[in-house]
Amino acid sequence: MPTETPEGPASPGPGAPAGLHEPSLDEQIAVYQREFGDLDPQVEKVVSALGRLNRRMNVAYGRQVADLGISNAEWEVLKSLVLSGSPYRMGPGELAKRLGLTPAAMTHRIDRMAGEGLVTRDRDETNRVRVIVELTDEGRTKWQEAMRMATDFEEDLLQDLSPEERSSLGELLIRVLRRVEHAQPDAGGRLTDLD
C-alpha cells in the first residue's frame, strides 16, 4: 500500500507502476487553491484525507474478503443479515433498499450467494408470495472470519492514537456524519448498482 505523509509525496507501494505518483494532500490543495481561489485549505485537507482514507480502507477490506473467497458485495449482504438480528433473515426488497440496489441487482447477488452456500432463499411460511433470505452457518462463519481480519486491521490502523485520541476522533467524525446525514438523508445507498 502506498505510504503518504500530509507534507510529502506518496511513494508507490509494492507492485505499483514505476513513475505513478499520487500528489500529497498539500500538493493537491495547492493545485486546488491555484485553480479555485475560494477554497478553504483546512476544510479541503480534512475532506481529502477522509476520502483517501476511505478509498484505501475499502481496498484493504476488499483484499481481506477476497482472501476468504467472497466479494465486497457479498460481504455487504452478510453484514446486513447479521445486523437484522437472529434469526438473520430479511426479504430481498428490504436488503435491496438497505444496500441501495435495484431489485434485479439484489436478485442476482442473492442467486450467486445461494449457489455458494452463504444464504438460503425460501418462501415465507406465513405468506407464500414473500421470499425470505436467511444467513447460513457458512455465511455466518465467513462474516466472523472477515470481522476478525477487519478487527486486526483496524487496531493496526489506530495504533498510534491514544484511547483519548480515538475517542475524540470518533466523536468528531460522528458529528460530521450527522451533518451529512441531515443534509443528505437519502444518500445511504448507491447512485448506481455495482454488480
Side-chain angles (χ1 to χ4, degrees), residues 139-171:
R140 184 160 168 77
T141 297
K142 292 282 188 187
W143 178 81
Q144 289 172 329
E145 290 173 3
M147 286 299 291
R148 249 181 241 106
M149 294 169 80
T151 299
D152 291 343
F153 168 70
E154 291 157 2
E155 283 293 328
D156 185 59
L157 180 71
L158 298 177
Q159 69 178 323
D160 295 332
L161 301 182
S162 70
E164 295 77 19
E165 289 172 323
R166 291 179 186 195
S167 178
S168 295
L169 179 60
E171 289 302 317

Side-chain angles (χ1 to χ4, degrees), residues 71-81 95 98-99 101 109 113 190 194:
S71 67
N72 272 336
E74 292 169 329
W75 158 252
E76 289 181 352
V77 174
L78 298 177
K79 178 176 70 174
S80 293
L81 289 169
L95 277 168
R98 185 170 286 186
L99 297 176
L101 298 172
R109 193 174 292 185
M113 293 179 72
R190 292 197 175 78
L194 295 181

